[in-house]
Amino acid sequence: MLRTGLHFAAVRLPAGLLHRLAGGEDRGGVEKVFRSFGVTGAVIADPNQRRYYALVRPVEACPGPWDDPAVELLGRDCYLGVPAPYRADPPGTHWLLAPPEGEEDLCDLAAMGNLVAAARGCEHGARGTMGSVNWSWSVPARRV
């Protein structure tokens, strides 16, 4: 378990969000979705919780079009189970895209915003409606 908010923050994404964009649960398709938005590394897959975590630079607040109740930024004082750098395959939590070696390898927050917006648009097209949403950038202390 590593504390978020010091060296990195994490965008927690429900697997279903990515699977809709990828057209299924295939790992290659999910990787392709991330890469198509410019995310080439620092993504953790947690198949047990059906979530992905994109590691980003730590931020206090970030303006932007963040609008999805199922997506959350894990900032200061949260904890995230981070797999060993060599753990690239299931079972269990593993690196979907390569672990970062430094800050320059973290995901771009703007790219993540674009990915979430595209997934939202995909969901909107599939369901025809959008629910009310709320992104919270200041996350209270809690364990993940």
Side-chain angles (χ1 to χ4, degrees):
M1 298 289 277
L2 294 178
R3 183 177 174 193
T4 60
L6 299 175
H7 302 291
F8 67 92
V11 178
R12 179 169 51 200
L13 304 155
L17 190 81
L18 278 299
H19 296 164
R20 276 191 294 280
L21 278 178
E25 297 184 21
D26 175 65
R27 179 181 178 146
V30 174
E31 287 181 14
K32 185 176 179 179
V33 167
F34 276 109
R35 292 180 197 287
S36 71
F37 284 90
V39 177
T40 60
V43 175
I44 298 169
D46 183 348
N48 296 326
Q49 297 295 317
R50 298 192 48 79
R51 294 181 175 147
Y52 294 96
Y53 296 87
L55 305 186
V56 297
R57 287 182 178 84
V59 294
E60 290 298 321
C62 180
W66 299 98
D67 261 351
D68 194 298
V71 181
E72 185 175 8
L73 180 75
L74 304 178
R76 179 168 278 176
D77 297 331
C78 290
Y79 292 85
L80 177 64
V82 176
Y86 58 83
R87 186 142 176 96
D89 295 303
T93 303
H94 59 278
W95 290 98
L96 179 74
L97 299 176
E101 292 183 16
E103 187 175 301
E104 66 279 356
D105 296 328
L106 295 174
C107 301
D108 179 63
L109 196 55
M112 293 306 302
N114 292 336
L115 188 150
V116 171
R120 219 177 44 226
C122 179
E123 182 178 53
H124 177 70
R127 292 188 188 170
T129 61
M130 293 296 293
S132 64
V133 292
N134 181 19
W135 259 77
S136 172
W137 287 101
S138 58
V139 179
R142 69 170 189 244
R143 293 189 180 259
V144 174

